[in-house]
Amino acid sequence: MPTPLDHEFVRAVARAADRSAAPLAARPDEEPAGVPHRGLARRVKTLVAAYRSPDSALHGSGQAVTAAMTHLRALRAAQTTTGLFAGGDNVQSPPDSAFTVNDVCDAHVLAAAAGPELRDVTAALAEIAEAATGSLLAGGVHTPNHRWELSAALARLHRSFPDDRLLDRVEEWLAEGVDIDAEGLYSERSAVYASIVTNPALLLLAEALGRTDLSAAVERNLATTLDLIRPDGTVETLHSRRQDQKLAFALWPYLPHYRLLAIRTGRGDFARAARLAAAAGIEDPDLLAQILLTPDLSRELPAPHAEKLPRARYLSTARLAAHVSATAHTVVYGGSDVPEHRRIRSGLACNPTFLRMFAGAAVLDAVRLSRVFFDLGPFRAADMEQLADNRYRLTQTLTTAYYQPLPKDHRRDDGAYRLVDEGRFSAAMAFPDRPQDEVSHTTRVEVDLREDGADLRIGISGPPVPWALELTFRPGGVPEGAVPIGDGRWCLTTGPMTYRVGDDEIRIETDVEAGGPLAGPDRSDVLRYDPGQDYTVVGGTDATTGNRVYIGGLGPHTLTVALHARRAAHVV
């Protein structure tokens, strides 16, 4: 027996759609100037869904139909002679157009089922979809998730306009294999693209093709994501290889996937995540179309499982560890791609934050270690080793060189040597042909994750160079026990210090085991974050904002730093 309908959820979804669609229906003939093609298609889909839904205030509304036609004319005008859509930074892009066609095809299913009253809308949607078919059938991609978005569009086109060539092309893309690793992470390791692109595309393909392996991949990803949900209702993105690696990404885009699989599998942990994703309210206008197209979404959730505390998870493929207790949620990260590829690049995991910690309202957003070593940038672990349960070692060795004169057989009379990138800069000096005098610098950070936070032991070896440990706290509290040095920055030497927000606090204690004294507040040359020359050469930075506390010195050094969460009421 199917579970009963969740009428409260359906009504909330309809209200969210109405908030988007009602203003459009109120001015049905107003031209949507400046709206990109993806926005136009999404508006049409929402208007048609509102027209179809008995729970919407626009159910059966002629004004909704008129507004949909107005937007469809604008959408057709944005379509080039290739059938692809103009606009955006990706020129004549099959995958970008696939996002729009996916919404066009969903709207077509909803409109076609409404009968004669939406005949013109159905015909306009069909015209747009059929014009795009040839280019999507032959088109290519340039990111991993594009394959699945494009395949979903082809499958949707086949659903409305059957053509075996479309399914053959889908099978060609799927034959590459879904890029999900043993830990349940997609190759881009991105919450944005998992929730908005890959998971919905794979669920659609699973249903269209009868491929249970595709829905199983989504279930694996969602199961892993459970351990990446942070106390503030966001999903961890430190390990991402995409734009969200520097952002806080909300859980709500995962709502339909957690909800659907909770209902279909009975998983109470997914039901808990679905409720958490909806805790701040339903705001996504697209959910109404989704529940009309996939009625299972409208059914009641199974009983949610309580969150298990404490718990720990180490994702070895991403080199990310999380430890969660009732007192603290702590994440350690050592999976940057920069040490291997020696560059900052879109598509690489570049974030130098190696630890963050939540203690209720007191949040340590980022712990970074900056070194002034040939301008090679902050510490990004090249290796992360699990020493024992909840104990890890992060290591990076930087090596650069001074270059000797060229051997005789490599010299040129005209002085025109090859322009070569030697790892930190480029010059016309034929670096590989020269003898080298190498200089190395090693940083090791041992992390012991505890119920109330983490203990760090930091070792900095190599030539004497300035270093600074930067602790960036989320605004809302004030550091106590550290010396203010201006511009939202503080210096910590002897400690201890606390960062308190309401009844929650994070306490910091540090001790030098080897090396000279820590830098005082007058050492502005040391107590700063250096993003490295990959950023500074073009005037950029990846620096954090917030309340920043610095611990610094002139290495070599060995020091300990304790980060412990405490309730203010328990402080003696």
Side-chain angles (χ1 to χ4, degrees):
M1 287 283 296
T3 56
L5 292 180
D6 186 340
H7 294 287
E8 182 180 353
F9 174 73
V10 172
R11 286 192 293 268
V13 166
R15 288 193 297 270
D18 286 351
R19 285 192 291 272
S20 174
L24 305 177
R27 301 182 299 275
D29 297 313
E30 183 175 299
E31 293 296 328
V35 180
H37 60 90
R38 288 170 64 174
L40 292 170
R42 182 56 56 92
R43 286 183 176 187
V44 171
K45 182 179 174 182
T46 303
L47 284 162
V48 173
Y51 177 91
R52 286 286 316 276
S53 172
D55 293 280
S56 168
L58 296 177
H59 178 56
S61 166
Q63 288 184 295
V65 177
T66 301
M69 287 302 300
T70 299
H71 282 74
L72 283 168
R73 285 191 291 271
L75 183 59
R76 186 69 177 98
Q79 207 165 14
T80 68
T81 55
T82 66
L84 301 175
F85 293 93
D89 57 348
N90 296 323
V91 180
Q92 294 290 302
S93 168
D96 280 23
S97 294
F99 283 96
T100 295
V101 170
N102 272 309
D103 280 342
V104 165
C105 288
D106 279 351
H108 182 268
V109 170
L110 294 174
E117 59 267 31
L118 291 187
R119 180 172 46 245
D120 291 343
V121 171
T122 303
L125 289 163
E127 181 183 4
I128 291 169
E130 289 172 345
T133 297
S135 290
L136 296 189
L137 187 60
V141 302
H142 55 82
T143 69
N145 71 82
H146 281 170
R147 295 172 294 177
W148 320 131
E149 184 71 22
L150 182 54
S151 294
L154 296 172
R156 282 182 167 96
L157 285 166
H158 177 78
R159 179 182 62 189
S160 289
F161 316 101
D163 183 339
D164 288 343
R165 295 177 305 158
L166 297 167
L167 293 186
D168 290 344
R169 183 66 162 176
V170 171
E171 295 293 351
E172 189 175 359
W173 284 117
L174 287 173
E176 296 185 5
V178 175
D179 55 324
I180 189 168
D181 66 23
E183 304 280 7
L185 295 173
Y186 299 116
S187 65
E188 294 175 293
R189 305 194 321 216
S190 164
V192 168
Y193 289 100
S195 63
I196 295 176
V197 183
T198 301
N199 283 342
L202 292 181
L203 287 173
L204 181 283
L205 291 167
E207 187 153 338
L209 304 176
R211 290 277 299 268
T212 57
D213 60 312
L214 300 180
S215 57
V218 174
E219 185 174 354
R220 286 169 54 204
N221 177 258
L222 295 177
T224 295
T225 304
L226 291 172
D227 288 319
L228 299 176
I229 298 172
R230 309 191 310 189
D232 61 356
T234 62
V235 180
E236 187 56 67
T237 58
L238 270 180
H239 56 304
S240 173
R241 290 186 165 119
R242 298 304 304 273
Q243 301 94 320
D244 55 331
Q245 63 185 268
K246 59 184 180 181
L247 303 174
F249 185 71
L251 181 62
W252 66 259
Y254 284 93
L255 169 59
H257 320 131
Y258 274 125
R259 186 178 181 89
L260 181 65
L261 291 188
I263 291 166
R264 288 181 172 175
T265 67
R267 290 188 62 152
D269 52 354
F270 283 14
R272 176 176 57 81
R275 289 195 174 186
L276 183 60
I282 304 295
E283 298 295 337
D284 183 5
D286 191 54
L287 280 174
L288 183 59
Q290 292 186 47
I291 66 174
L292 292 173
L293 291 161
T294 309
D296 281 353
L297 276 170
S298 303
R299 301 203 174 277
E300 289 185 354
L301 284 167
H305 290 171
E307 183 178 18
K308 295 180 180 179
L309 295 176
R311 70 174 190 274
R313 180 77 184 270
Y314 178 44
L315 301 175
S316 60
T317 55
R319 302 204 301 269
L320 183 138
H323 187 278
V324 183
S325 73
T327 306
H329 176 116
T330 310
V331 174
V332 178
Y333 173 58
S336 175
D337 293 317
V338 174
E340 177 182 355
H341 292 270
R342 301 197 72 173
R343 66 180 65 191
I344 305 298
R345 176 74 73 193
S346 176
L348 297 180
C350 303
N351 195 323
T353 296
F354 68 86
L355 185 143
R356 62 169 39 127
M357 177 177 165
F358 294 77
V363 179
L364 176 57
D365 267 326
V367 178
R368 299 178 172 190
L369 181 60
S370 182
R371 297 83 42 94
V372 182
F373 182 77
F374 290 90
D375 210 14
L376 289 175
F379 171 66
R380 293 179 173 92
D383 181 66
M384 181 170 178
E385 179 184 2
Q386 186 174 22
L387 304 175
D389 288 348
N390 299 314
R391 291 191 61 229
Y392 303 90
R393 180 189 292 128
L394 313 179
T395 307
Q396 182 188 29
T397 296
L398 297 174
T399 301
T400 187
Y402 293 104
Y403 294 89
Q404 298 288 345
L406 283 165
K408 289 183 178 179
D409 57 344
H410 289 283
R411 297 172 189 166
R412 296 174 59 101
D413 292 337
D414 61 3
Y417 298 104
R418 289 180 294 139
L419 180 65
V420 177
D421 183 344
E422 62 92 65
R424 67 187 176 102
F425 69 97
S426 298
M429 288 187 64
F431 291 118
D433 301 331
R434 297 174 181 270
Q436 303 176 19
D437 299 328
E438 291 189 341
V439 184
S440 293
H441 181 285
T442 297
T443 303
R444 290 186 179 87
V445 180
E446 293 186 4
V447 184
D448 186 2
L449 293 174
R450 300 161 53 97
E451 296 294 296
D452 62 347
D455 289 335
L456 312 182
R457 188 172 187 270
I458 300 172
I460 299 169
S461 61
V465 297
W467 61 268
L469 186 71
E470 179 188 70
L471 298 92
T472 301
F473 293 90
R474 189 170 296 182
V478 177
E480 299 175 358
V483 179
I485 55 178
D487 192 30
R489 299 178 302 129
W490 285 259
C491 168
L492 178 63
T493 51
T494 56
M497 66 152 285
T498 59
Y499 189 78
R500 184 177 302 178
V501 182
D503 292 333
D504 302 317
E505 74 172 33
I506 297 174
R507 181 180 176 92
I508 314 295
E509 298 185 62
T510 184
D511 183 57
V512 176
E513 293 185 356
L518 296 176
D522 59 326
R523 293 299 306 270
S524 58
D525 59 323
V526 174
L527 303 177
R528 65 186 184 90
Y529 174 75
D530 180 6
Q533 58 107 35
D534 279 356
Y535 285 99
T536 59
V537 72
V538 292
T541 187
D542 65 343
T544 61
T545 58
N547 295 321
R548 288 151 290 157
V549 175
Y550 291 91
I551 304 167
L554 186 68
H557 265 111
T558 302
L559 70 154
T560 60
V561 181
L563 310 167
H564 294 167
R566 302 202 308 180
R567 299 290 296 180
H570 297 163
V571 177
V572 178

